[in-house]
Amino acid sequence: DSTGQGDSKTSTEYDFLKASKRELEPMPSLSARMHSTLHQYFGYTSFRPLQEAIIRDVLERKDVFVLMPTGGGKSMCYQLPALLMEGVTVVVSPLISLMKDQVDGLEANGIAAACMNSTQSARENRDVKTAFLENRLKVLYVAPERLMMPGTLAFLKKGKVSLFAIDEAHCISEWGHDFRPEYRKLKLLRDPKTGFPDIPIIALTATATERVREDIISQLNLHLPPEKGPYVASFNRKNLYYEVRPKKETFSEITDYLRRHRGEAGIIYCQSRNSVEALTKKLNIAGFRALPYHAGLSDSERNRNQEMFIKDDVDIIVATIAFGMGIDKSNVRFVIHYDLPRNLESYYQETGRGGRDGSPCECILFFSRGDRFKIEYFISQKTNEKEKDISLVQLRQMVAYCEVNKCRRQTLMEYFGEELPEPCGNCDCCLTPKDTFDGTEAAKKLITCVQELNQRFGTNYVIDVLTGSKNKKIRQNRHERLKSHGSGLEFTKEQWKSLASEMINTGLLDVSGTKYPVLKLNAMSRKILKGLEQVELVCPEGFAPEAEESFMPSTVTGTKGKKADDLSFSEEETFSDKFSVASDI
Ligand code: ADP
Ligand code: MG
């Protein structure tokens, strides 16, 4: 079916262009060939949204950039052209295990395919090379590090390459969630001497913000026709329900949930191997069949657990982010995030593994500010300054998603540069809006304090001043003399923190600087100060506007005082263990 084609603005414009073009330049034979190839080799009767237009461009030897959600059918966009073009389509793909699956799948459909990677024997390698040189292959998968090894490009020049397909193209960008340095070298494909400047490139990804998109296009030097730009399919997955819950008594919340959803398949993501192991054990003891998945398990155990999950032999898989890329299980009914993901791209990608059959899937994230600080700490240990800044900005966006009191889907789609005009009606914010109160006075106090501090201090310091702290720094700076000092005793520090976050997240106040973020006024803050804007804020925990008198600030201890759930980032684990880089997932 192609009814979804009008989902996004870009695709609509695009289809129009395509349609008019088709009229001018009748190619019935091409269209017929495309459809018969689709049917003959893949067994499908129609193209998915955008596939046909993309394939036509590829066949016209144009560079193409494809942004399509997971499960959208990206592979077809280069596999079908590979069959219709003379020569061999070279596919760059980051995971060796995925490559094998793809090659097996193609061969099962009668398509001559092979791969080149480090796990092959010398003999296999030689056979593949011969097949390539003799033009007996249609599709050749190559790992990026292999492709960019000195001899490989020179070797490929001896045969006939029809097209380069760069799958998971976001790996090329430091702004993506899965940056791989070896992808950077792909820019050499366009080198006039050593590369293939005349061979078209199709780049494909499921995750790309505007920034990543630009990065991919410039790194690969893609020549996209200026009036067209990338093909963008809608990222809105309507059947996914989004919810954020406070991370408290998380284990019993999860077991309650699982009890109510017996027999349904789901994934529980944790940030570290240790939490995966611990949670799996606790679930097993509580009577739930669940299996772990992380990069610390042996290959055979990992594959076995994955297979059992895919074949419905076990319903629950507890996993690090190592689980998922390329996994095609259609009936995942819930995706729970036990810990805070580090950025929205990963989060979207991970939740995207749910509901691929189009039936509902619940995506629940447990959020605590403690998790945020732990990730911040981990980021602060990084040595590369640019990476550090990027990670901090991404974390801020992730936190904003959790804290925001507006439609989650709108927030997510906005992040991906897609506008959703109406609240979705299928997320916790739409279905159970939080209690709010007239926060104009509170907002004014906070903004005034930021102003009196000359916009040179971070949230914690500002709040210390507001709540009348006489700590050393405040005494040294003589800030106990400010009018704002002690002007905000109606809220606790924790409550002020949540008010301040909300104000930042909703643009009532700015933060600047990544290393030492300081609060700044913006146009909106000034309007509020002047009394030109009323502000509606979410009631912070423990605060009920009508019960203000009985409210006792001193009884509320901050998150520090609370006993954290014993599985969540326990102290004995090192942070590097918690927040693994690729090697520790
Ligand atoms: P992506 O790489 O975008 O995540 P895939 O290329 O793995 O998605 O495709 C997802 C699924 O959709 C695969 O099972 C594929 O065979 C199927 N598919 C692709 N194109 C079509 C089509 N035109 N009609 C029906 N199914 C399709
Ligand atoms: Mg894919």
Side-chain angles (χ1 to χ4, degrees):
D1 75 67
S2 60
T3 45
Q5 236 160 337
D7 273 5
S8 80
K9 246 188 283 168
T10 329
S11 65
T12 318
E13 281 165 22
Y14 215 155
D15 293 339
F16 167 74
L17 282 171
K18 288 281 159 188
S20 57
K21 188 150 186 270
R22 236 170 278 157
E23 280 157 23
L24 292 175
E25 188 189 315
M27 292 195 294
S29 62
L30 178 60
S31 174
R33 275 178 75 204
M34 279 166 56
H35 279 87
S36 68
T37 312
L38 178 72
H39 189 72
Q40 183 189 342
Y41 285 92
F42 301 94
Y44 300 132
T45 46
S46 60
F47 285 105
R48 291 258 183 90
L50 300 185
Q51 279 179 339
E52 192 168 358
I54 292 167
I55 292 169
R56 277 173 176 276
D57 271 8
V58 173
L59 293 175
E60 286 173 25
R61 298 180 53 86
K62 290 186 178 129
D63 286 347
V64 179
F65 182 30
V66 178
L67 192 55
M68 228 184 233
T70 308
K74 288 186 284 300
S75 322
M76 188 65 76
C77 300
Y78 54 82
Q79 288 174 348
L80 192 134
L83 290 167
L84 295 178
M85 290 169 101
E86 221 221 306
V88 184
T89 290
V90 174
V91 185
V92 179
S93 165
L95 292 182
I96 291 173
S97 58
L98 274 189
M99 262 184 227
K100 282 191 191 128
D101 290 349
Q102 299 252 344
V103 169
D104 292 348
L106 288 171
E107 284 188 327
N109 287 341
I111 300 166
C115 57
M116 273 168 88
N117 62 52
S118 52
T119 66
Q120 287 169 311
S121 68
R123 191 201 164 101
E124 279 173 313
N125 207 349
R126 210 168 44 232
D127 290 349
V128 171
K129 283 183 159 178
T130 314
F132 171 78
L133 291 175
E134 292 174 359
N135 207 5
R136 282 190 277 114
L137 295 174
K138 286 313 319 175
V139 187
L140 175 63
Y141 282 82
V142 188
E145 46 284 63
R146 164 59 75 93
L147 182 65
M148 300 329 288
M149 263 162 43
T152 312
L153 289 185
F155 165 76
L156 290 179
K157 285 191 175 203
K158 293 186 202 153
K160 175 142 185 55
V161 176
S162 55
L163 168 72
F164 284 102
I166 316 295
D167 209 355
E168 313 289 351
H170 58 275
C171 294
I172 208 169
S173 173
E174 288 171 308
W175 283 97
H177 59 87
D178 202 9
F179 173 57
R180 300 187 181 221
E182 67 274 13
Y183 259 69
R184 276 278 182 210
K185 297 203 190 119
L186 291 174
K187 63 160 77 146
L188 290 175
L189 283 178
R190 278 286 149 91
D191 185 279
K193 278 200 214 96
T194 52
F196 293 77
D198 301 326
I199 303 296
I201 294 181
I202 176 171
L204 311 100
T205 175
T207 50
T209 54
E210 191 62 40
R211 204 155 201 163
V212 175
R213 209 183 292 181
E214 281 164 15
D215 217 11
I216 294 171
I217 293 170
S218 80
Q219 292 292 328
L220 290 174
N221 192 8
L222 297 182
H223 305 302
L224 305 180
E227 74 283 8
K228 286 188 175 181
Y231 282 95
V232 184
S234 173
F235 272 60
N236 184 6
R237 301 271 315 274
K238 296 187 178 120
N239 57 323
L240 303 187
Y241 161 81
Y242 299 103
E243 177 177 342
V244 177
R245 297 189 190 180
K247 187 168 176 175
K248 272 188 309 188
E249 288 151 45
T250 315
F251 183 72
S252 69
E253 290 221 13
I254 289 181
T255 49
D256 281 353
Y257 184 90
L258 296 178
R259 244 170 243 127
R260 282 182 283 111
H261 292 85
R262 287 241 186 232
E264 292 180 7
I267 309 170
I268 305 177
Y269 278 107
C270 301
Q271 285 280 344
S272 79
R273 297 174 186 183
N274 287 358
S275 359
V276 165
E277 290 290 340
L279 181 57
T280 313
K281 281 208 187 83
K282 278 183 84 171
L283 286 174
N284 292 342
I285 291 168
F288 297 96
R289 290 189 62 224
L291 289 173
Y293 187 102
H294 58 73
L297 300 175
S298 68
D299 282 356
S300 62
E301 189 173 358
R302 226 174 32 233
N303 289 338
R304 197 185 64 218
N305 293 355
Q306 174 178 322
E307 282 297 299
M308 284 184 71
F309 181 64
I310 288 174
K311 294 193 176 133
D312 295 328
D313 292 332
V314 64
D315 290 330
I316 307 162
I317 194 125
V318 184
T320 61
I321 55 169
F323 179 79
M325 209 198 242
I327 284 176
D328 195 358
K329 180 176 168 68
S330 60
N331 62 342
V332 174
R333 297 278 76 92
F334 59 87
V335 178
I336 294 177
H337 279 77
Y338 193 91
D339 300 315
L340 182 67
R342 275 165 292 180
N343 55 61
L344 273 177
E345 298 221 29
S346 320
Y347 182 62
Y348 177 81
Q349 188 81 339
E350 282 148 24
T351 55
R353 301 195 174 113
R356 289 174 76 149
D357 53 8
S359 294
C361 170
E362 299 195 345
C363 308
I364 300 170
L365 187 163
F366 287 95
F367 171 68
S368 75
R369 244 177 264 151
D371 273 9
R372 176 211 181 129
F373 296 132
K374 277 154 194 158
I375 299 181
E376 258 167 17
Y377 175 81
F378 174 68
I379 294 171
S380 74
Q381 305 296 94
K382 292 189 178 189
T383 47
N384 181 324
E385 288 301 318
K386 186 174 174 203
E387 233 177 80
K388 223 187 249 186
D389 286 354
I390 291 175
S391 307
L392 282 173
V393 172
Q394 290 177 330
L395 178 62
R396 235 180 246 164
Q397 289 162 326
M398 185 70 234
V399 170
Y401 168 83
C402 295
E403 290 184 333
V404 89
N405 189 34
K406 110 180 191 201
C407 172
R408 304 253 185 231
R409 196 179 311 269
Q410 280 182 323
T411 312
L412 262 179
M413 290 305 109
E414 203 172 290
Y415 179 76
F416 289 105
E418 198 174 322
E419 198 193 334
L420 203 68
E422 295 292 324
C424 73
N426 189 24
C427 70
D428 56 343
C429 289
C430 285
L431 295 174
T432 43
K434 292 178 202 146
D435 286 338
T436 57
F437 72 110
D438 179 353
T440 313
E441 279 316 304
K444 274 186 186 166
K445 283 188 185 176
L446 188 73
I447 297 167
T448 307
C449 188
V450 172
Q451 199 176 36
E452 285 192 336
L453 290 166
N454 293 324
Q455 313 185 55
R456 285 173 46 213
F457 292 86
T459 314
N460 287 340
Y461 190 90
V462 172
I463 290 173
D464 280 345
V465 173
L466 269 178
T467 51
S469 161
K470 294 197 167 118
N471 68 31
K472 201 169 150 207
K473 221 171 144 199
I474 289 183
R475 277 182 283 124
Q476 275 171 356
N477 292 332
R478 306 199 170 181
H479 283 152
E480 77 268 32
R481 299 181 185 182
L482 295 177
K483 268 206 205 121
S484 289
H485 189 260
S487 67
L489 291 172
E490 66 275 38
F491 297 108
T492 61
K493 282 188 187 177
E494 278 309 308
Q495 291 173 332
W496 272 118
K497 280 185 197 168
S498 87
L499 295 171
S501 304
E502 189 188 352
M503 287 176 63
I504 294 164
N505 294 333
T506 52
L508 308 184
L509 201 59
D510 280 356
V511 238
S512 82
T514 45
K515 201 165 183 186
Y516 302 107
V518 298
L519 296 183
K520 301 258 184 204
L521 271 59
N522 59 24
M524 195 59 191
S525 329
R526 295 201 172 84
K527 277 193 191 163
I528 295 170
L529 270 190
K530 285 190 194 147
L532 299 174
E533 291 285 338
Q534 291 285 105
V535 178
E536 198 66 19
L537 294 174
V538 176
C539 296
E541 216 186 308
F543 172 79
E546 51 292 331
E548 256 177 273
E549 285 93 71
S550 62
F551 172 67
M552 301 261 297
S554 57
T555 57
V556 184
T557 56
T559 41
K560 264 189 201 149
K562 280 186 201 133
K563 172 102 180 65
D565 195 306
D566 56 346
L567 283 171
S568 59
F569 302 116
S570 53
E571 300 304 326
E572 47 303 352
E573 284 183 70
T574 63
F575 286 117
S576 58
D577 186 38
K578 284 302 186 182
F579 299 100
S580 47
V581 256
S583 60
D584 183 38
I585 48 180

